[in-house]
Amino acid sequence: MTTHKLIGLSGSLRAASYNSKLLADAARHYGNADYAEGDLRLPLYDGDLEAADGIPPEVRKLAEQITAADAVLIATPEYNKGISGVLKNALDWISRAGTGAGNSPLKEKPVAILSASSGRAGGERAQMMLRWCLMPFQTRLLQGPEVLVAQTHTQFDDDHRLTGDINLKTLQGLMTALKAEVER
């Protein structure tokens, strides 16, 4: 059995981030995979910084991790009805880290998106915004099933694993679809 490489991008930097917990649990449900979470603690995108110093080393590292991965998992919280600034900033840098126009590390990469949010919609609006933000990258973005984890403080057990039959069934379905897309 082939071991796939997965990279997770969490739109939340908090140490106890539910989105990071969701990514780790998604990788566990994926099955036979080497999983790493990318570090999104990047400088704010600034064209003058890029012109003067080039792509920062931490952005190059993230781009290399994405390039080496078989698939990308992106988990976004919902901040003010959209994605977090951390995630948008990372996408802006990633768009600049390729080898030229149309050569993003995300191009043709299978991508699954998930969200965990304290609100009752589970990050649905953030996922819609993220879909728009990913459009220029020309990814192989999965359309579903949608993993929308609401009221996060009640949805994870003491081992940081997702609970609830509907949540688990949806997460397993998304990981099955991602695996099929990787193997396609």
Side-chain angles (χ1 to χ4, degrees):
M1 178 180 269
T2 302
T3 300
H4 296 149
K5 291 180 84 171
L6 303 177
I7 180 144
L9 306 179
S10 176
S12 174
L13 298 178
R14 290 180 41 241
S17 166
Y18 288 110
N19 283 279
S20 294
K21 291 175 186 179
L22 182 57
L23 286 172
D25 206 29
R28 186 178 66 81
H29 282 281
Y30 185 92
N32 194 22
D34 290 331
Y35 171 73
E37 185 174 322
D39 185 359
L40 301 192
R41 292 181 189 278
L42 307 172
L44 290 176
Y45 177 75
D46 177 344
D48 291 338
L49 174 68
E50 180 185 8
D53 301 328
I55 303 295
E58 55 269 55
V59 174
R60 280 196 308 273
K61 179 181 178 184
L62 181 61
E64 289 167 3
Q65 289 176 301
I66 293 168
T67 299
D70 294 302
V72 179
L73 302 168
I74 303 176
T76 182
E78 186 166 301
Y79 291 175
N80 300 309
K81 303 185 187 215
I83 65 173
S84 67
V86 166
L87 183 54
K88 179 65 169 87
N89 185 61
L91 292 173
D92 290 342
W93 270 118
I94 292 166
S95 75
R96 308 294 298 164
T99 57
N103 290 322
S104 161
L106 285 166
K107 186 173 184 172
E108 294 297 319
K109 192 73 63 174
V111 175
I113 62 175
L114 313 93
S115 57
S117 189
S118 61
R120 67 181 182 268
E124 186 173 23
R125 292 170 291 208
Q127 279 199 20
M128 291 306 298
M129 182 180 176
L130 180 54
R131 289 177 188 285
W132 280 97
C133 291
L134 289 171
M135 196 177 305
F137 290 96
Q138 301 176 30
T139 68
R140 290 169 28 211
L141 180 61
L142 297 179
Q143 298 304 310
E146 292 178 306
V147 175
L148 303 161
V149 181
Q151 300 173 337
T152 50
H153 65 284
T154 65
Q155 302 301 317
F156 291 84
D157 66 19
D158 292 338
D159 294 322
H160 309 298
R161 292 184 176 180
L162 192 60
T163 61
D165 291 342
I166 293 172
N167 284 337
L168 291 172
K169 181 178 179 185
T170 306
L171 181 60
Q172 290 166 347
L174 183 62
M175 292 303 97
T176 298
L178 182 61
K179 188 179 283 189
E181 185 63 24
V182 168
E183 293 174 350
R184 178 173 75 85

